[in-house]
Amino acid sequence: SGAQQAAARAAAEQAAALRAPLVGSDEVGRIESIVADFKRANGALLDSLDVRRFELLQLGIASHHAGMLPLEKALAEQLFQANLLKVVFATETLAAGINMPARTTVVTTLSKRGDRGVEPLAASALLQMAGRAGRRGIDERGNVLLCRSAWESAPDAARLLARPADPIESNFCLGYGSALKLRRRRPLSECESLIARSFGAYTARAKAETAVAQLGGVEEERRRLRALLARFDRSSVASYAKLQGRLEAEQRSLSFLRAQEAEAEAEMVETLLGFVNRGTPARTSDGAAAIVADDPPPAIAAAMRKAG
C-alpha cells in the first residue's frame, strides 16, 4: 500500500542522508550478532527478503509495515526493544499489541489509505501511536510531533486531538464450521457459557440495555404527546401543521430577501466610495466609526471637478 511504500522509502532516504551510523561500534556488533542468528535460523527464506533492510539495521534504522514478513517485523521489534534501533519508519501497525515505547513519536500525516480510499486517522489510532512516546523508567515525558502536510492543517490536527477515542467494537463472528467444532468438543451448556463471556456478547448486551432504556423514554414521550393532543381534534392538528409549514417557508423567503438586501447595500457602498475623498469620516453598518483612507480614482476625481 501507499503507507507501506512510504515507510520503506523514508527509511532508505534517511539512511542515504546519514554521514555516520546512529549507533556506536559496540551496538553495531550486537546488531550484527542478532542479524547473523536470524539468518542462520531462517536461511531458507533469505532469498525472499530485501537485503537492503539488513544494511539499514546496521545504521540503527528500520522499517516496519504490513508488507514485511512476520519474521522480519519480529527482528525489527527485537532490535528496537533492545535499544539498538534509533529510528523506525512504520505504519500504525507498529503501535498495535506490542510493547515498543520510544522517546519521540512523529506522525507525518493525519490521513491514511484504507478500503474506502484516503480517510483521516481514527482518534483511537492516533492515541495508540502517541501512547508509544515515553519509555517507562527512562524518560520523564514523551514527545509527540504532528507534521503539517499539504492536505491537513493545524485546525484539522486540533479537531482530531479533541475527539474522544472511538468505541471498541467486536468483530467476533461464529461461523458454521467454528460452531460445529466447538459443539463437537464441548457440551451445549458450556458452548453457550463460553460465547456469553465473549466481548461480542458483552457489547450486544450493553447495546440491548441501552436500547431498552431509550425505548422507555420514547414511550414516555409518546404518552405525553398523546395527552397534550387529546384536547384537539384531528382537523385542528392538521391545520396547525399546515400553518407551521407555511410559516417556515415564509421565514426562509425572508432570510433570502434580507441576504439580497445586504448584498445590494454592499454594492452601493462600494460604488459610492469611489466618489469620496480621503479623510472623509464614515460609519460602518455595525456602528463603528471609520475614515476613508484613499482618494477616488483619478478619472472619477477629474469628472467630479469638471462637474462642480
Side-chain angles (χ1 to χ4, degrees), residues 2-191:
Q4 298 168 10
Q5 294 173 0
R9 185 171 58 252
E13 291 175 353
Q14 179 66 28
L18 281 179
R19 297 182 179 178
L22 297 176
V23 289
S25 57
D26 56 335
E27 292 175 316
V28 171
R30 292 173 59 192
I31 293 172
E32 290 176 346
S33 176
I34 293 174
V35 171
D37 292 341
F38 174 85
K39 289 181 178 179
R40 280 194 296 270
N42 302 282
L45 297 174
L46 292 181
D47 291 339
S48 61
L49 302 181
D50 190 344
V51 179
R52 292 174 298 177
R53 292 189 184 133
F54 295 118
E55 298 173 354
L56 292 176
L57 294 178
Q58 297 183 12
L59 298 175
I61 300 173
S63 57
H64 187 289
H65 52 77
M68 299 169 59
L69 293 177
L71 287 172
E72 288 183 285
K73 293 193 290 185
L75 175 62
E77 293 163 10
Q78 178 185 356
L79 293 172
F80 191 87
Q81 290 172 328
N83 198 28
L84 295 175
L85 293 180
K86 307 306 178 182
V87 180
V88 177
F89 295 88
T91 57
E92 62 182 290
T93 55
L94 178 67
I98 52 178
N99 181 28
M100 293 183 62
R103 178 185 302 170
T104 303
T105 298
V106 181
V107 182
T108 57
T109 180
L110 299 180
S111 59
K112 57 172 288 187
R113 184 176 296 278
D115 297 335
R116 294 173 294 182
V118 178
E119 51 191 11
L121 283 177
S124 297
L126 179 61
L127 184 63
Q128 181 74 17
M129 288 187 286
R132 292 298 178 197
R135 298 165 296 177
R136 181 171 307 197
I138 302 177
D139 304 318
E140 292 185 1
R141 67 178 64 184
N143 302 309
V144 181
L145 302 179
L146 302 183
C147 298
R148 183 171 182 172
S149 70
W151 301 275
E152 299 114 5
S153 61
D156 294 329
R159 283 191 292 270
L160 181 58
L161 290 172
R163 279 170 46 190
D166 302 308
I168 301 175
E169 297 183 357
S170 172
N171 291 324
F172 176 73
C173 181
L174 189 63
Y176 291 110
S178 301
L180 290 174
K181 289 180 181 179
L182 190 64
R183 182 65 184 89
R184 186 182 303 133
R185 298 176 182 178
R186 302 172 185 267
L188 181 59
S189 58
E190 190 175 343
C191 294

Side-chain angles (χ1 to χ4, degrees), residues 281-303:
R283 187 174 297 277
T284 60
S285 59
D286 59 0
I291 295 178
V292 178
D294 295 317
D295 285 328
I300 295 179

Side-chain angles (χ1 to χ4, degrees), residues 255-269:
S255 298
F256 177 73
L257 292 174
R258 284 177 175 171
Q260 280 190 324
E261 182 182 10
E263 185 178 352
E265 288 180 354
E267 290 179 356
M268 182 181 297
V269 170

Side-chain angles (χ1 to χ4, degrees), residues 186-234:
R186 302 172 185 267
L188 181 59
S189 58
E190 190 175 343
C191 294
E192 293 176 346
S193 176
L194 184 64
I195 294 174
R197 294 199 304 270
S198 69
F199 181 69
Y202 168 78
T203 56
R205 286 194 298 269
K207 290 179 180 178
E209 292 171 359
T210 302
V212 169
Q214 292 175 342
L215 180 60
V218 170
E219 291 292 344
E220 180 63 28
E221 181 67 11
R222 184 181 178 186
R223 286 192 293 269
R224 188 187 70 82
L225 292 176
R226 280 186 172 181
L228 179 65
L229 297 175
R231 296 174 293 171
F232 307 97
D233 56 43
R234 189 179 297 272

